[in-house]
C-alpha cells in the first residue's frame, strides 16, 4: 500500500519503467483540434493521442478504435 500519491507514481515509474507524462495546455489545445469519430468517444484516448501528436511521439495500441477514428484538424 502506498501512503501518498507520489509514492504510487514513483513505484510505477521505477518498478514498471513507465514514465508518467504531464498534461499541459498545449495537449488540451491539440485535443480541441481533433476530429473525433462518433465511434470513439473515450476522452482518455483522446488525451493519449493528443499527447503523442503534441510531443511528436510514436503511439502504438492494440485498441482497434484508434485506427482511423481520430485525425488532426
Amino acid at each position: 500500500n502506498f501512503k501518498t500519491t507520489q509514492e504510487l507514481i514513483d513505484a510505477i515509474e521505477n518498478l514498471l519503467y513507465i514514465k508518467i507524462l504531464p498534461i499541459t495546455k498545449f495537449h488540451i489545445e491539440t485535443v480541441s483540434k481533433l476530429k473525433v469519430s462518433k465511434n470513439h468517444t473515450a476522452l482518455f484516448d483522446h488525451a493519449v493521442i493528443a499527447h503523442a501528436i503534441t510531443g511528436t511521439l510514436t503511439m502504438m495500441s492494440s485498441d482497434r478504435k484508434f485506427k482511423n477514428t481520430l485525425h488532426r484538424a
Side-chain angles (χ1 to χ4, degrees):
N1 293 336
F2 303 100
K3 294 181 182 178
T4 67
T5 304
Q6 190 59 51
E7 285 182 10
L8 175 59
I9 292 170
D10 291 343
I12 290 169
E13 292 188 333
N14 296 325
L15 298 174
L16 301 176
Y17 304 104
I18 295 172
K19 178 67 177 161
I20 297 176
L21 303 172
I23 300 284
T24 68
K25 67 180 180 179
F26 301 109
H27 301 108
I28 295 168
E29 288 172 5
T30 302
V31 167
S32 72
K33 295 175 185 174
L34 292 175
K35 293 182 181 180
V36 181
S37 167
K38 293 178 187 176
N39 299 326
H40 198 176
T41 58
L43 297 178
F44 182 77
D45 289 352
H46 302 174
V48 170
I49 291 166
H51 221 294
I53 292 169
T54 304
T56 59
L57 304 171
T58 300
M59 189 182 92
M60 297 184 298
S61 175
S62 62
D63 186 341
R64 293 176 189 233
K65 288 188 176 182
F66 275 104
K67 186 178 180 179
N68 300 321
T69 58
L70 292 168
H71 308 279
R72 266 198 258 190

